[in-house]
Amino acid sequence: MRAFIHSFTVGVFFRDDAAADAVDGARARGMLAALCDAHEALMMRVGRTLAMNGGSGGRYYREDVVERARTCARATTALVRACCARDGDGRAKNVRAGVGRVWEASKSFVDAPKDAVRAISHRLMRSARFVVDVRNELKTLGAEAEAEAAPTGSDADDDLLFCDDDFDEDEMRRAKAMGAYATACALVLKTFIAPTVRERRARVDALEPMVEACERFRRAVEDVGAGAYPPHDADALKKDIEASVRAAEEMRACAREAGVADEDVEPGFADFVDAAETAKRAAVE
């Protein structure tokens, strides 16, 4: 916040394009020095935070914090350069834009994960949102009110959209089966993610591989969602389902290694495996 306060003071001082000889040089240098000092203090705080929370197993936490620090450094540098520009080069406009960038960069630290486990949870939730999108999209297939709720647009736009009439009876049955499987995928992700959010003492080095497994799971589910639309490729659908199951098994192993209790995971995982077998049978029937 100190960085933004000093950047705002700089912005007020350089609020117009006054000629260089009309600017109080000593005062300007003092303001810019204060801004740089505030930025340096922020970077020192980032360094201490990383030393305390970003040690072994803190890869994603380090990435999140370091990226925000780099963005803030770039914004502060750009603001100082804008202030030092010659008059007539749109200095005031560039300074105003620079103050805004420093503000956004400083504010981003508020949303930064507070520890390594939260950083992992954020990434897992990011993948989960894509899986939920697939589930929600497939839920609309076969809806009786779809024709009434269909978006309006040009004929060209409509040609890019699928509706129930584009499916024959067998295709709709498979598509609905894939929709049910997508729902099971969203549920099993909740099963994996919820304990990691609650368990602050979980082993971070064991949880980090879960992020990559979750991304593979998300990609496989997206492929299942895309394959739910005709023409169907039964073998491809089966392979995508199997890929999602393998990724889910990796996530289960990571959760167990991290110290998450089996009773928090196993019941939901068993239901997911059953749903996967049902979806594979539906894909090839």
PDB file of all heavy atoms in Angstrom, residues 109-134:
ATOM      1  N   PHE A 109      -1.432  -8.191  -4.432  1.00  0.00           N
ATOM      2  CA  PHE A 109      -0.882  -8.931  -3.297  1.00  0.00           C
ATOM      3  C   PHE A 109      -1.970  -9.306  -2.293  1.00  0.00           C
ATOM      4  O   PHE A 109      -1.806 -10.260  -1.538  1.00  0.00           O
ATOM      5  CB  PHE A 109       0.212  -8.115  -2.604  1.00  0.00           C
ATOM      6  CG  PHE A 109       1.517  -8.119  -3.339  1.00  0.00           C
ATOM      7  CD1 PHE A 109       1.845  -7.085  -4.206  1.00  0.00           C
ATOM      8  CD2 PHE A 109       2.411  -9.166  -3.176  1.00  0.00           C
ATOM      9  CE1 PHE A 109       3.046  -7.088  -4.892  1.00  0.00           C
ATOM     10  CE2 PHE A 109       3.614  -9.175  -3.863  1.00  0.00           C
ATOM     11  CZ  PHE A 109       3.934  -8.135  -4.722  1.00  0.00           C
ATOM     12  N   VAL A 110      -3.070  -8.568  -2.301  1.00  0.00           N
ATOM     13  CA  VAL A 110      -4.167  -8.895  -1.393  1.00  0.00           C
ATOM     14  C   VAL A 110      -4.748 -10.264  -1.726  1.00  0.00           C
ATOM     15  O   VAL A 110      -5.160 -11.022  -0.836  1.00  0.00           O
ATOM     16  CB  VAL A 110      -5.264  -7.811  -1.472  1.00  0.00           C
ATOM     17  CG1 VAL A 110      -6.466  -8.185  -0.608  1.00  0.00           C
ATOM     18  CG2 VAL A 110      -4.703  -6.457  -1.047  1.00  0.00           C
ATOM     19  N   ASP A 111      -4.795 -10.591  -3.028  1.00  0.00           N
ATOM     20  CA  ASP A 111      -5.373 -11.856  -3.464  1.00  0.00           C
ATOM     21  C   ASP A 111      -4.361 -12.987  -3.528  1.00  0.00           C
ATOM     22  O   ASP A 111      -4.711 -14.109  -3.900  1.00  0.00           O
ATOM     23  CB  ASP A 111      -6.005 -11.684  -4.855  1.00  0.00           C
ATOM     24  CG  ASP A 111      -7.097 -10.624  -4.855  1.00  0.00           C
ATOM     25  OD1 ASP A 111      -7.818 -10.545  -3.851  1.00  0.00           O
ATOM     26  OD2 ASP A 111      -7.218  -9.886  -5.854  1.00  0.00           O
ATOM     27  N   ALA A 112      -3.122 -12.710  -3.187  1.00  0.00           N
ATOM     28  CA  ALA A 112      -2.086 -13.746  -3.242  1.00  0.00           C
ATOM     29  C   ALA A 112      -2.364 -14.814  -2.188  1.00  0.00           C
ATOM     30  O   ALA A 112      -2.879 -14.511  -1.107  1.00  0.00           O
ATOM     31  CB  ALA A 112      -0.708 -13.129  -3.015  1.00  0.00           C
ATOM     32  N   PRO A 113      -2.064 -16.077  -2.495  1.00  0.00           N
ATOM     33  CA  PRO A 113      -2.250 -17.127  -1.478  1.00  0.00           C
ATOM     34  C   PRO A 113      -1.397 -16.862  -0.249  1.00  0.00           C
ATOM     35  O   PRO A 113      -0.277 -16.363  -0.349  1.00  0.00           O
ATOM     36  CB  PRO A 113      -1.800 -18.406  -2.210  1.00  0.00           C
ATOM     37  CG  PRO A 113      -0.923 -17.928  -3.324  1.00  0.00           C
ATOM     38  CD  PRO A 113      -1.468 -16.603  -3.737  1.00  0.00           C
ATOM     39  N   LYS A 114      -1.948 -17.183   0.913  1.00  0.00           N
ATOM     40  CA  LYS A 114      -1.261 -16.874   2.175  1.00  0.00           C
ATOM     41  C   LYS A 114      -0.202 -17.904   2.539  1.00  0.00           C
ATOM     42  O   LYS A 114       0.657 -17.648   3.375  1.00  0.00           O
ATOM     43  CB  LYS A 114      -2.290 -16.760   3.298  1.00  0.00           C
ATOM     44  CG  LYS A 114      -3.350 -15.692   3.065  1.00  0.00           C
ATOM     45  CD  LYS A 114      -2.712 -14.315   2.898  1.00  0.00           C
ATOM     46  CE  LYS A 114      -3.758 -13.220   2.771  1.00  0.00           C
ATOM     47  NZ  LYS A 114      -4.476 -13.258   1.483  1.00  0.00           N
ATOM     48  N   ASP A 115      -0.270 -19.090   1.944  1.00  0.00           N
ATOM     49  CA  ASP A 115       0.738 -20.108   2.219  1.00  0.00           C
ATOM     50  C   ASP A 115       0.773 -21.088   1.051  1.00  0.00           C
ATOM     51  O   ASP A 115      -0.014 -20.975   0.100  1.00  0.00           O
ATOM     52  CB  ASP A 115       0.466 -20.838   3.547  1.00  0.00           C
ATOM     53  CG  ASP A 115      -0.942 -21.419   3.604  1.00  0.00           C
ATOM     54  OD1 ASP A 115      -1.340 -22.104   2.639  1.00  0.00           O
ATOM     55  OD2 ASP A 115      -1.637 -21.192   4.608  1.00  0.00           O
ATOM     56  N   ALA A 116       1.684 -22.063   1.132  1.00  0.00           N
ATOM     57  CA  ALA A 116       1.900 -22.979   0.016  1.00  0.00           C
ATOM     58  C   ALA A 116       0.697 -23.880  -0.239  1.00  0.00           C
ATOM     59  O   ALA A 116       0.374 -24.193  -1.391  1.00  0.00           O
ATOM     60  CB  ALA A 116       3.146 -23.823   0.279  1.00  0.00           C
ATOM     61  N   VAL A 117       0.009 -24.298   0.816  1.00  0.00           N
ATOM     62  CA  VAL A 117      -1.157 -25.164   0.636  1.00  0.00           C
ATOM     63  C   VAL A 117      -2.268 -24.414  -0.080  1.00  0.00           C
ATOM     64  O   VAL A 117      -2.937 -24.954  -0.979  1.00  0.00           O
ATOM     65  CB  VAL A 117      -1.652 -25.700   1.997  1.00  0.00           C
ATOM     66  CG1 VAL A 117      -2.960 -26.468   1.835  1.00  0.00           C
ATOM     67  CG2 VAL A 117      -0.599 -26.605   2.623  1.00  0.00           C
ATOM     68  N   ARG A 118      -2.472 -23.149   0.286  1.00  0.00           N
ATOM     69  CA  ARG A 118      -3.506 -22.361  -0.390  1.00  0.00           C
ATOM     70  C   ARG A 118      -3.153 -22.132  -1.856  1.00  0.00           C
ATOM     71  O   ARG A 118      -4.040 -22.096  -2.722  1.00  0.00           O
ATOM     72  CB  ARG A 118      -3.702 -21.020   0.327  1.00  0.00           C
ATOM     73  CG  ARG A 118      -4.428 -21.118   1.654  1.00  0.00           C
ATOM     74  CD  ARG A 118      -4.649 -19.738   2.243  1.00  0.00           C
ATOM     75  NE  ARG A 118      -5.406 -19.766   3.475  1.00  0.00           N
ATOM     76  CZ  ARG A 118      -4.875 -19.842   4.681  1.00  0.00           C
ATOM     77  NH1 ARG A 118      -3.552 -19.933   4.806  1.00  0.00           N
ATOM     78  NH2 ARG A 118      -5.631 -19.852   5.762  1.00  0.00           N
ATOM     79  N   ALA A 119      -1.870 -21.973  -2.156  1.00  0.00           N
ATOM     80  CA  ALA A 119      -1.462 -21.797  -3.551  1.00  0.00           C
ATOM     81  C   ALA A 119      -1.820 -23.032  -4.375  1.00  0.00           C
ATOM     82  O   ALA A 119      -2.273 -22.927  -5.523  1.00  0.00           O
ATOM     83  CB  ALA A 119       0.040 -21.530  -3.631  1.00  0.00           C
ATOM     84  N   ILE A 120      -1.629 -24.199  -3.791  1.00  0.00           N
ATOM     85  CA  ILE A 120      -1.998 -25.440  -4.476  1.00  0.00           C
ATOM     86  C   ILE A 120      -3.510 -25.521  -4.626  1.00  0.00           C
ATOM     87  O   ILE A 120      -4.027 -25.874  -5.697  1.00  0.00           O
ATOM     88  CB  ILE A 120      -1.456 -26.647  -3.691  1.00  0.00           C
ATOM     89  CG1 ILE A 120       0.069 -26.683  -3.789  1.00  0.00           C
ATOM     90  CG2 ILE A 120      -2.042 -27.950  -4.207  1.00  0.00           C
ATOM     91  CD1 ILE A 120       0.725 -27.689  -2.879  1.00  0.00           C
ATOM     92  N   SER A 121      -4.231 -25.180  -3.575  1.00  0.00           N
ATOM     93  CA  SER A 121      -5.697 -25.228  -3.627  1.00  0.00           C
ATOM     94  C   SER A 121      -6.239 -24.317  -4.725  1.00  0.00           C
ATOM     95  O   SER A 121      -7.189 -24.672  -5.440  1.00  0.00           O
ATOM     96  CB  SER A 121      -6.288 -24.827  -2.275  1.00  0.00           C
ATOM     97  OG  SER A 121      -5.886 -25.722  -1.265  1.00  0.00           O
ATOM     98  N   HIS A 122      -5.636 -23.130  -4.877  1.00  0.00           N
ATOM     99  CA  HIS A 122      -6.087 -22.199  -5.918  1.00  0.00           C
ATOM    100  C   HIS A 122      -5.928 -22.819  -7.299  1.00  0.00           C
ATOM    101  O   HIS A 122      -6.807 -22.681  -8.159  1.00  0.00           O
ATOM    102  CB  HIS A 122      -5.278 -20.908  -5.843  1.00  0.00           C
ATOM    103  CG  HIS A 122      -5.639 -20.051  -4.670  1.00  0.00           C
ATOM    104  ND1 HIS A 122      -5.062 -18.822  -4.426  1.00  0.00           N
ATOM    105  CD2 HIS A 122      -6.526 -20.232  -3.655  1.00  0.00           C
ATOM    106  CE1 HIS A 122      -5.583 -18.294  -3.334  1.00  0.00           C
ATOM    107  NE2 HIS A 122      -6.450 -19.138  -2.844  1.00  0.00           N
ATOM    108  N   ARG A 123      -4.820 -23.497  -7.525  1.00  0.00           N
ATOM    109  CA  ARG A 123      -4.603 -24.108  -8.843  1.00  0.00           C
ATOM    110  C   ARG A 123      -5.547 -25.283  -9.072  1.00  0.00           C
ATOM    111  O   ARG A 123      -6.030 -25.492 -10.179  1.00  0.00           O
ATOM    112  CB  ARG A 123      -3.147 -24.550  -8.970  1.00  0.00           C
ATOM    113  CG  ARG A 123      -2.224 -23.403  -9.387  1.00  0.00           C
ATOM    114  CD  ARG A 123      -0.778 -23.820  -9.342  1.00  0.00           C
ATOM    115  NE  ARG A 123       0.077 -22.897 -10.087  1.00  0.00           N
ATOM    116  CZ  ARG A 123       0.435 -21.706  -9.676  1.00  0.00           C
ATOM    117  NH1 ARG A 123      -0.010 -21.274  -8.510  1.00  0.00           N
ATOM    118  NH2 ARG A 123       1.208 -20.937 -10.414  1.00  0.00           N
ATOM    119  N   LEU A 124      -5.801 -26.037  -8.035  1.00  0.00           N
ATOM    120  CA  LEU A 124      -6.763 -27.126  -8.172  1.00  0.00           C
ATOM    121  C   LEU A 124      -8.154 -26.582  -8.490  1.00  0.00           C
ATOM    122  O   LEU A 124      -8.875 -27.131  -9.334  1.00  0.00           O
ATOM    123  CB  LEU A 124      -6.802 -27.948  -6.880  1.00  0.00           C
ATOM    124  CG  LEU A 124      -5.522 -28.725  -6.527  1.00  0.00           C
ATOM    125  CD1 LEU A 124      -5.669 -29.378  -5.153  1.00  0.00           C
ATOM    126  CD2 LEU A 124      -5.189 -29.766  -7.577  1.00  0.00           C
ATOM    127  N   MET A 125      -8.521 -25.487  -7.833  1.00  0.00           N
ATOM    128  CA  MET A 125      -9.836 -24.898  -8.087  1.00  0.00           C
ATOM    129  C   MET A 125      -9.932 -24.341  -9.495  1.00  0.00           C
ATOM    130  O   MET A 125     -10.998 -24.359 -10.118  1.00  0.00           O
ATOM    131  CB  MET A 125     -10.105 -23.787  -7.067  1.00  0.00           C
ATOM    132  CG  MET A 125     -10.367 -24.291  -5.658  1.00  0.00           C
ATOM    133  SD  MET A 125     -11.800 -25.391  -5.575  1.00  0.00           S
ATOM    134  CE  MET A 125     -13.101 -24.270  -6.116  1.00  0.00           C
ATOM    135  N   ARG A 126      -8.815 -23.856 -10.012  1.00  0.00           N
ATOM    136  CA  ARG A 126      -8.806 -23.339 -11.385  1.00  0.00           C
ATOM    137  C   ARG A 126      -9.156 -24.445 -12.376  1.00  0.00           C
ATOM    138  O   ARG A 126      -9.964 -24.253 -13.292  1.00  0.00           O
ATOM    139  CB  ARG A 126      -7.433 -22.756 -11.692  1.00  0.00           C
ATOM    140  CG  ARG A 126      -7.354 -21.965 -12.988  1.00  0.00           C
ATOM    141  CD  ARG A 126      -5.942 -21.457 -13.205  1.00  0.00           C
ATOM    142  NE  ARG A 126      -5.456 -20.712 -12.048  1.00  0.00           N
ATOM    143  CZ  ARG A 126      -4.180 -20.433 -11.832  1.00  0.00           C
ATOM    144  NH1 ARG A 126      -3.248 -20.870 -12.668  1.00  0.00           N
ATOM    145  NH2 ARG A 126      -3.826 -19.735 -10.771  1.00  0.00           N
ATOM    146  N   SER A 127      -8.548 -25.615 -12.213  1.00  0.00           N
ATOM    147  CA  SER A 127      -8.882 -26.748 -13.081  1.00  0.00           C
ATOM    148  C   SER A 127     -10.313 -27.210 -12.842  1.00  0.00           C
ATOM    149  O   SER A 127     -11.019 -27.583 -13.782  1.00  0.00           O
ATOM    150  CB  SER A 127      -7.906 -27.906 -12.834  1.00  0.00           C
ATOM    151  OG  SER A 127      -6.612 -27.604 -13.298  1.00  0.00           O
ATOM    152  N   ALA A 128     -10.735 -27.175 -11.576  1.00  0.00           N
ATOM    153  CA  ALA A 128     -12.086 -27.618 -11.253  1.00  0.00           C
ATOM    154  C   ALA A 128     -13.138 -26.769 -11.955  1.00  0.00           C
ATOM    155  O   ALA A 128     -14.185 -27.281 -12.377  1.00  0.00           O
ATOM    156  CB  ALA A 128     -12.298 -27.585  -9.739  1.00  0.00           C
ATOM    157  N   ARG A 129     -12.875 -25.487 -12.105  1.00  0.00           N
ATOM    158  CA  ARG A 129     -13.851 -24.618 -12.772  1.00  0.00           C
ATOM    159  C   ARG A 129     -14.077 -25.043 -14.226  1.00  0.00           C
ATOM    160  O   ARG A 129     -15.201 -24.971 -14.735  1.00  0.00           O
ATOM    161  CB  ARG A 129     -13.402 -23.156 -12.700  1.00  0.00           C
ATOM    162  CG  ARG A 129     -13.630 -22.521 -11.334  1.00  0.00           C
ATOM    163  CD  ARG A 129     -13.465 -21.011 -11.375  1.00  0.00           C
ATOM    164  NE  ARG A 129     -12.085 -20.621 -11.561  1.00  0.00           N
ATOM    165  CZ  ARG A 129     -11.224 -20.421 -10.572  1.00  0.00           C
ATOM    166  NH1 ARG A 129     -11.615 -20.597  -9.328  1.00  0.00           N
ATOM    167  NH2 ARG A 129      -9.984 -20.053 -10.819  1.00  0.00           N
ATOM    168  N   PHE A 130     -13.012 -25.475 -14.900  1.00  0.00           N
ATOM    169  CA  PHE A 130     -13.179 -25.952 -16.278  1.00  0.00           C
ATOM    170  C   PHE A 130     -14.016 -27.229 -16.308  1.00  0.00           C
ATOM    171  O   PHE A 130     -14.852 -27.415 -17.199  1.00  0.00           O
ATOM    172  CB  PHE A 130     -11.812 -26.206 -16.917  1.00  0.00           C
ATOM    173  CG  PHE A 130     -11.073 -24.957 -17.300  1.00  0.00           C
ATOM    174  CD1 PHE A 130     -10.061 -24.458 -16.498  1.00  0.00           C
ATOM    175  CD2 PHE A 130     -11.396 -24.271 -18.464  1.00  0.00           C
ATOM    176  CE1 PHE A 130      -9.374 -23.301 -16.844  1.00  0.00           C
ATOM    177  CE2 PHE A 130     -10.715 -23.117 -18.816  1.00  0.00           C
ATOM    178  CZ  PHE A 130      -9.706 -22.633 -18.008  1.00  0.00           C
ATOM    179  N   VAL A 131     -13.787 -28.115 -15.352  1.00  0.00           N
ATOM    180  CA  VAL A 131     -14.561 -29.352 -15.296  1.00  0.00           C
ATOM    181  C   VAL A 131     -16.034 -29.044 -15.033  1.00  0.00           C
ATOM    182  O   VAL A 131     -16.927 -29.639 -15.643  1.00  0.00           O
ATOM    183  CB  VAL A 131     -13.995 -30.280 -14.206  1.00  0.00           C
ATOM    184  CG1 VAL A 131     -14.888 -31.509 -14.015  1.00  0.00           C
ATOM    185  CG2 VAL A 131     -12.575 -30.715 -14.567  1.00  0.00           C
ATOM    186  N   VAL A 132     -16.298 -28.111 -14.146  1.00  0.00           N
ATOM    187  CA  VAL A 132     -17.680 -27.713 -13.857  1.00  0.00           C
ATOM    188  C   VAL A 132     -18.326 -27.102 -15.102  1.00  0.00           C
ATOM    189  O   VAL A 132     -19.514 -27.330 -15.373  1.00  0.00           O
ATOM    190  CB  VAL A 132     -17.714 -26.729 -12.667  1.00  0.00           C
ATOM    191  CG1 VAL A 132     -19.097 -26.093 -12.531  1.00  0.00           C
ATOM    192  CG2 VAL A 132     -17.332 -27.443 -11.386  1.00  0.00           C
ATOM    193  N   ASP A 133     -17.555 -26.352 -15.895  1.00  0.00           N
ATOM    194  CA  ASP A 133     -18.094 -25.792 -17.136  1.00  0.00           C
ATOM    195  C   ASP A 133     -18.525 -26.902 -18.088  1.00  0.00           C
ATOM    196  O   ASP A 133     -19.578 -26.807 -18.744  1.00  0.00           O
ATOM    197  CB  ASP A 133     -17.051 -24.902 -17.812  1.00  0.00           C
ATOM    198  CG  ASP A 133     -16.856 -23.578 -17.098  1.00  0.00           C
ATOM    199  OD1 ASP A 133     -17.725 -23.207 -16.283  1.00  0.00           O
ATOM    200  OD2 ASP A 133     -15.832 -22.911 -17.354  1.00  0.00           O
ATOM    201  N   VAL A 134     -17.705 -27.949 -18.199  1.00  0.00           N
ATOM    202  CA  VAL A 134     -18.062 -29.086 -19.056  1.00  0.00           C
ATOM    203  C   VAL A 134     -19.340 -29.739 -18.542  1.00  0.00           C
ATOM    204  O   VAL A 134     -20.266 -30.039 -19.315  1.00  0.00           O
ATOM    205  CB  VAL A 134     -16.916 -30.117 -19.105  1.00  0.00           C
ATOM    206  CG1 VAL A 134     -17.356 -31.373 -19.867  1.00  0.00           C
ATOM    207  CG2 VAL A 134     -15.686 -29.514 -19.767  1.00  0.00           C
TER     208      VAL A 134
END
